Amino acid sequence: MSRGKSKELKVLESITITDAGSEGMALARVEGMVVFVPFVVPGDVVDIQLYKKKKNYAEGRAVKFHKYSDLRVDAVCPHFGVCGGCKWQTMKYEAQLEAKQRQVRDNLERLGGVDCGGMRPICGSDNIYYYRNKLEFTFSNRAWRTQEQMAEGIVNEWGALGFHIPQLFDKVLTIEHCALQPEPSNAIRLAVRDYALEHGLECYDIRNHTGFLRNLILRCSSTGEWMVIVVVAQDDNEKLFPLLDMLKGKFQMITSLQYIVNTKMNDSYGDLEVVTYAGSDHIEERMDGYSGGKELRYIINPKSFYQTNSQQAQRLYSFVAEMAELQPTDVLYDLYTGTGTIALFLADKCKKVVGIEYVEEAIADARINASRNGFDNTVFYAGDMAKVLTADFIAANGRPDVVVTDPPRAGMHEKVVAQLLETAPRKIVYVSCNPATQARDLQLLAAKYDVRRIQPVDMFPHTQHVENVAELILR
């Protein structure tokens, strides 16, 4: 017996979008059900074609607009709606900030039981376009074709250089212009693409693991230096070196030109050798010190983590310093220190800084950065935070008066939280890129700590992501 066609989900007509939601989606409420819709703005009135329906929520796409919201603006990016990034680009920036402020408050109050009476207005970004100092592009022999390209019969047999289509690991959208990183970012990417097309360099096939070009990573600094890293799948200098020579000759601002040979089945390169082809093996970032502190210089190598919005990083660290209220005799612990950016930002305000980080290369950079900036009151350790931060470690390095913690999105390990409660520093300043896991940890720390001040910071305009700083005071 043949199976009948599956029932098509219905279209919801003339639905008002009420709020900005998670994962860059907006949402509406229909008969007690939450409906998530991408690429719309609160206040839009639309028909929604559902494509997923569960008991308490549904997902759909806007198929007809009856009314455009007063919060709507035109998208700057020509790829808006296809590229997976910058989903809030058509919403006024003031409305984006309000949505992020609500997101932080809702997470802290609902998930963490935090009193948000001390929450300050979110710190917005002066630059809402061309603010990123790092972008990573992917080559793929499977180019995503837009509806317009399909209608015109356009087929890109070479492939694509751009960003992955969301939820499709092998499809890449060709990016003609990205409004996230300043020039010559677009010019460099297009020059690489044109060279590859002209010289027949094959894009990587992630399904069959064939082809040559894999990734293009572009980093820049506030000092005007540029790092370009070309990642290839084969150790073939005859193909690679002429491409690098083209970049070296055409773009004089590239101060660090490097390459990686990645023969693995995935795109991660933390465990791979990075070869410097021309210039330095790093670029330099500079930041003003806090409250009259000296200018800081950080080296950024290909594997270094650095906040991708340099201007907002300065503000974020200033809020951390303000909340830390360090005294000259204080011992400061900087957990998840990375390359020591926060540790060194605070080093001249206290007696000693102890930084801990999982990635050994980052700790090596932190020690170099400390030396370059003339600090002799810093020590850095590499290792698993839950295993390093023990009673014996604290006895050897001194009990912290203040702790700054800036964990990854997953938040802090429960053993780390337990050790902080046992050690009981005078103050904890918790920096988070995920208010939900921050709320969970704050609820645990509430056994001994009260939250005094809360400062959201927008590091990533046009996305749902928000950074948040919370000041915890020992009762």
Side-chain angles (χ1 to χ4, degrees), residues 70-275:
D70 293 337
L71 301 180
R72 178 174 283 275
V73 294
D74 292 334
V76 169
C77 176
H79 306 291
F80 177 77
V82 183
C83 173
C86 305
K87 291 180 180 177
W88 285 3
Q89 194 178 153
T90 50
M91 182 163 46
K92 287 182 178 178
Y93 187 54
E94 294 77 10
Q96 295 181 34
L97 294 178
E98 290 174 6
K100 295 185 184 193
Q101 182 106 13
R102 288 195 304 272
Q103 177 188 336
V104 172
R105 180 181 291 274
D106 178 63
N107 276 285
L108 296 189
E109 290 181 342
R110 181 171 56 86
L111 301 178
V114 176
D115 179 358
C116 290
M119 179 176 286
R120 300 168 165 181
I122 188 171
C123 174
S125 178
D126 291 342
N127 298 321
I128 63 173
Y129 296 104
Y130 307 108
Y131 60 83
R132 286 187 66 101
N133 56 40
K134 180 183 179 183
L135 281 179
E136 184 167 340
F137 300 98
T138 300
F139 294 89
S140 174
N141 67 329
R142 291 177 171 86
W144 178 262
R145 289 198 297 163
T146 64
Q147 291 181 340
E148 293 79 6
Q149 289 171 331
M150 286 189 288
E152 296 175 13
I154 297 175
V155 178
N156 188 343
E157 295 181 354
W158 172 75
L161 172 57
F163 296 130
H164 280 282
I165 294 293
Q167 300 178 345
L168 294 175
F169 77 100
D170 63 335
K171 293 288 189 179
V172 168
L173 174 69
T174 294
I175 298 297
E176 298 293 342
H177 181 88
C178 180
L180 283 174
Q181 193 174 36
E183 292 296 349
S185 175
N186 286 298
I188 292 172
R189 185 188 65 259
L190 294 176
V192 170
R193 185 191 68 182
D194 291 346
Y195 180 95
L197 276 165
E198 181 182 350
H199 293 82
L201 300 183
E202 294 180 336
C203 293
Y204 190 64
D205 183 334
I206 198 169
R207 289 183 179 273
N208 299 311
H209 302 289
T210 58
F212 183 63
L213 297 169
R214 290 193 70 155
N215 302 98
L216 177 67
I217 303 157
L218 306 180
R219 303 189 75 159
C220 59
S221 72
S222 57
T223 62
E225 297 181 350
W226 280 82
M227 175 185 290
V228 176
I229 309 164
V230 178
V231 185
V232 294
Q234 305 163 15
D235 191 2
D236 190 334
N237 296 343
E238 291 185 2
K239 289 182 179 178
L240 176 61
F241 287 1
L243 169 61
L244 298 177
D245 287 336
M246 180 277 293
L247 288 171
K248 184 172 65 171
K250 189 170 184 178
F251 299 98
Q252 301 298 317
M253 72 290 299
I254 297 177
T255 56
S256 176
L257 182 58
Q258 308 195 53
Y259 70 89
I260 300 171
V261 178
N262 180 8
T263 60
K264 301 189 304 179
M265 300 299 185
N266 62 70
D267 285 340
S268 65
Y269 55 88
D271 57 341
L272 299 176
E273 180 186 9
V274 184
V275 182

